Structures are given as structure tokens and as C-alpha cells.
Amino acid sequence: MPEQTKPILSVKNMSVQFPSLSGVVSAVRNLSFEVGREKVGIIGESGSGKSTTGRAIMRLQPATARVVADEMRFEDVDLLTASEAEMRAIRGSRISMILQDPKYSLNPVMTVGEQIAETVILHERLGRKAARERTLAMLERVNIRDPQRVFNLYPHEVSGGMGQRIMISMMLISSPSLIIADEPTSALDVTVRQQVLSILDDLISERNIGLIFISHDLNLVKSFCDRVIIMYAGRIVETIDASKLDQATHPYTRGLLEALPSLDHPRDRLEVLKRQASWAEA
Amino acid sequence: MSISQTSAIAPGRAKAALGALRKVAASFAVILTTLLGLLVITFVVGRMVPADPVIAVIGDQADHETYERVYKEMGLDQPLYVQFATYLGNVAHLDFGQSHVTKNAVSSDLARVFPATLELATLATLIGAGFGIPLGIISAVRKGTWVDHLARIVGLLGHSTPIFWLGTIVILVFYAKFGLIPGSGRLDVYNEGLVDGPTHSILVDAVLAGEWEVFGDALLHVAAPALILGYAAMAYLSRMSRSFMLEQLRQEYVLTAKAKGLGQRAIVWRHAFRNIRVQLLTIVALAYCGLLDGTVLIETVFAWPGLGQYLTSALFFADMNAVLGSVLLIGIISIAINLLSDLTYRFLDPRTR
């Protein structure tokens, strides 16, 4: 159990600032959290800083942004002082990122096999042939029935669900210890969403990977994650076990929950979130 | 399972192959239509101009019977569609009639002047693309740095400097003042007529004949006009490459590539560059077409005996056969270049297959 809870990522007082003509805008302010070998959901509305947080951890924030923190530690690496070359060695091999829509996040003029193989060629110095073998095995692992054929397909020739399984293959093939999934199922049909999630879930528990699951879907996070971080206006308003989400106390979280329709308790009229200025400052 | 799968795939493959074939056939149909349109236009223009083709042949001193006889011989008494059919037949045999300025067959004139322009335009395009594309991509990658600013200033100058002015200045400075370059023409007098090879491109013919001195002289002659045209092409191509590359670098798959741990060089050249190849090919082909028919100014400044000069002087003398022959040639070359780039798209972009 201690092994399980020992954090692989610990962030203290992280802020992401965008200098602009009218002063500094902070997209993320004084964020502190830890992630162990568990599934942590980050939830919040558009513009609350979820994606910015994910990118800042990988040091992939936009060129204009500045990340400041008291501490950003990933396993034995200090993310604040690591060189760009060290960061490149970490990205894709020890921390990976799954993006939202495979229609845009895969390179349209490279075969999907080539794109997956690229990761192991880069990080494990594998030859073309060995990389191909690994890729085919990985494709099979994400339940793709005919890996030989799919290897040579281009992104526009695969469905959204298959595209996202390809994305998962590409990002998990080098066995990272932390994955940041930025709305990985938002672009998918409800019917394939479950398939993709269960494949992701299997791989994560099998390989004992830590997951940061960025989403705006309360129900999904509640059922999929172990812990939930709720963000509002660039800060954490509440951190709670996913199973206890229904008992959340913060008025913002409560407001979000009240605004959800439920099949078990039909209501004529859903609550409207009543914002308070204090949430953004608290 | 495997049997049902292969049988399910096979008709799909056949269908895809048929679809590709249909696309190729369709682009050929478009080309044939364009070509026919071009022929109709040159034919109609040829009939409409106020220059009498009979007098052009026999001169204005001939008597009435001769006029009548030649009129009939040239088929001008036939209905228009018969005349058009005859015209098509002639064009198919590369017979564009005789130029009454040079007294040669237009086709042999074109065989002499077009390679000169082709040589110039090809070199200029190679210079423009060879420097312009890398420059544009580097300034996209280093956006906002001094490299970018410098590249944009160089590009802007190339855009806004008239090439006839630049040509004149180059001749004044490098030829008249310092004598570093030969002034005009394709060769020095003492080298003229030494090679008369199969292609009429002096550079190629000299290599084929092993006449390296002639090759060097020809290269020296072509250098200045080719560099000036190449500079203008470079200015255009680098601006376009820069904006194509900037657009790609904003795409989501670039973030994926970064998240994979790829370095900047792999992201730019292996990922983003592959996505702009089709656009680059399009603008390079356009620039090439533009140079093939738009070199009149530079040909005049450097006394380059190319197609532009030939066409201009033919226009001054109302030498309609020469004009129409040249226009037809330019049209056919443009169509051919477009066809070629169209067919290449299919190799470069899987989505167009």
C-alpha cells in the first residue's frame, strides 16, 4: 500500500502566467497536488486551467507562457530545472499525453503504424523491424483485430474509436509511469467511449501507471477515477475521493452536481449554477 | 473468420483502384477540354485579326488571279469547321505555318527560342525554390527572431523591386563598371555555333558534347538573369513557405509529436514538412509557369534570345503564325505542368488517393 500511495508527481504552488499588454494573466494559480499510481480526475469548466495544467507538467505550455512553482517533481526529476533535452527524453517515454480528437492529433500524411513505431525508435533506439514488431503487438493489445492491415492505414481511414486506440498505443508503447489524458473520450460516440475507457483502464492497472484524467464530465470521472480535483478559475476548489463526490461540500461542486440531470431522480427544472466571486479567490 | 475478412476486403480494394482510375481519367478529360478550348481560341483569333494571311504570303504586289489561287490553296474558301479540322491536323503535325519575319517555319523557330527560355526559367525556379523554401521554413520556425525579420526584409525587397530595373543596375555595375559578368546573349561570339546539339539548351548540349569551355561561358551568361529571376521567385516562395509552415506548426498533431518527445528538427521536417509538400508543389509549379511565359522583361534587358523576346517581336510585326504558335506552346506547357503536379499530389497526400 505505501508503494501505491507514494507520489510519482508532486506539484507545489504552480502558476502559469501569460504576460500581456494589460498585465500578467494567470491561467493557473498556486496549484498544489500529488499523483500516485492512481487515477486522478481534474474537472472544471472551459477556461478553468485544466489543459494548461496538463501541458505545464510536460513543459509544453505555449511559448508565451511562464510556469512558476515552489516544486514540480516527477519521480527523480525536478521538472523546474530539467534541461530541454532531458524533457524530450522524458516525454513519450516516462510521461505521455493523450489528446482529445484523433482526427487532429494524428499526422494525416503518416501511416498510423509509422507514428506509433516512431515512439520506440526514438526512446528505445529500436531498429525499424523490431519497432514494427512492438507496434503490431501494441495494436493487438488495444484490441485491434488486424494489426498488419491497420499498421499501413492513414488516420483518415480509421474511425474515431480506433484512432483513439492508436493514440493510446502510441503514448503507452514505451511504458510511461504517468499519463495525462486531456479529454480522451470527448470526441467519441457514447457507444465507443466505454470500449476505449476500458482498454485504457486495463493498461493502466496492468502496468501500474498513474493517470491524470482531464474532463468536464462529472459522471464519467465519478465512475472512472479514484480521486477528483475540482478546478475553478485556475485554482483547486476541492479535492475529493471519486466515490464521495456526491457528498462534496464546496458550493461550486454542489452547484455542478445539482445541475446534472439524473435518470433516477427526474426533475422538472435543473438548478442553475449561481457563481460567487469568492470561489475565484479563496 | 480470416476467409470472410479477406473476401470482404477484396471488393473494397477493387473499388478503390477503380476510383483512383476514374480520378485520373477525370483529370485527363479536364485537360483535353482545356486543350480544345485553347485551340479554338487560337484558331478564332487567327481568323479575326485584320491581317490578311494571303497577302502575308504573296505580298501586296501580286495580281488578282494569284490571290484567288493562293486563297483557295490555303483552304480559306472552305467552311469554318473544315478549316478548323485542317488547323487541328496541322497542329498535330507541329505545323504552325511560316513566320513572315524570320521566313522560317514557326515550329523550328520555337525549337530554337523555347529551350533558351526553358533554361533560364528552370534555373531561376531551382534557385528560387532551393533558397526560398528553406528560408521560409527557417523563418517560420524562428518566428519573431532576427533571422525571421532578416528573411522577411530580403523577401519584401524581392517582391517590390522591378526586375527590369534590377537587371539594368546589375548590367551597369557588374558588366559596365567591373566587367565581372558578360553583358548579354547566351554565349560570347567566339563560342557561338560550337555546340549545336539535340536539345538547343546550350548548357545541356555542351555537357553532352563535352565542351566544358562552352558550358562555363554559357553558365556565366545565364547566371545574372537566372539569379535575378530566381531572387524574385525566392521572395514569393519563401513568404508562402513561411505561412504554410506556421499554419502546420499550430496543428494539434505537432503537440502530439512534442508529447512523444520528438525534437524540433524531426517535428519540422518529418511531420510538418510532409504536410506542406502539396502546397509547395503547387506554388513552385505556378512560379515555374509564370517564369516560362513571363520572362519578356529580363530577356529584353539581357538580350536573351528566348520565347518572350520572340513573342514580343512577333506581336510588333503582326506575325500571327508566330504569335499563335507561341501562345499554343505556352498553353500546352502550362497544362503539362499542372497535370504533372496534379498526378504528384496523389503520391504526396494519401487523402487525395
Side-chain angles (χ1 to χ4, degrees), chain B residues 64-82:
Chain B
H64 192 70
E65 279 96 70
T66 322
Y67 185 93
E68 283 296 312
R69 187 166 50 78
V70 175
Y71 187 81
K72 277 206 178 119
E73 267 174 17
M74 291 176 79
L76 293 173
D77 56 336
Q78 303 282 331
L80 268 186
Y81 65 88
V82 177

Side-chain angles (χ1 to χ4, degrees), chain B residues 177-240:
Chain B
K177 184 122 178 88
F178 297 114
L180 290 175
I181 55 162
S184 60
R186 298 175 77 185
L187 281 176
D188 279 339
V189 184
Y190 52 86
N191 277 328
E192 225 150 293
L194 278 185
V195 295
D196 193 17
T199 65
H200 291 286
S201 156
I202 292 178
L203 289 174
V204 177
D205 288 346
V207 170
L208 290 179
E211 289 276 4
W212 294 105
E213 210 162 306
V214 177
F215 178 80
D217 187 35
L219 200 60
L220 217 53
H221 273 81
V222 81
L227 280 169
I228 291 168
L229 286 178
Y231 177 47
M234 183 201 83
Y236 169 68
L237 293 175
S238 72
R239 255 169 94 112
M240 298 302 278

Side-chain angles (χ1 to χ4, degrees), chain B residues 108-141:
Chain B
S108 70
D109 275 350
L110 289 178
R112 184 170 46 79
V113 298
F114 183 63
T117 293
L118 191 66
E119 202 171 82
L120 190 56
T122 308
L123 278 176
T125 308
L126 288 178
I127 292 168
F131 289 97
I133 293 172
L135 194 69
I137 288 170
I138 289 166
S139 75
V141 173

Side-chain angles (χ1 to χ4, degrees), chain A residues 73-92:
Chain A
R73 176 158 292 280
F74 164 73
E75 292 182 330
D76 56 338
V77 186
D78 183 353
L79 295 174
L80 285 170
T81 57
S83 71
E84 185 53 30
E86 286 170 307
M87 284 312 297
R88 280 205 300 273
I90 291 168
R91 289 182 200 128

Side-chain angles (χ1 to χ4, degrees), chain A residues 146-165:
Chain A
D146 191 354
Q148 298 277 358
R149 185 177 70 89
V150 172
F151 188 97
N152 292 318
L153 293 182
Y154 286 94
H156 72 279
E157 295 171 314
V158 302
S159 65
M162 193 187 268
Q164 208 55 316
R165 284 185 277 165

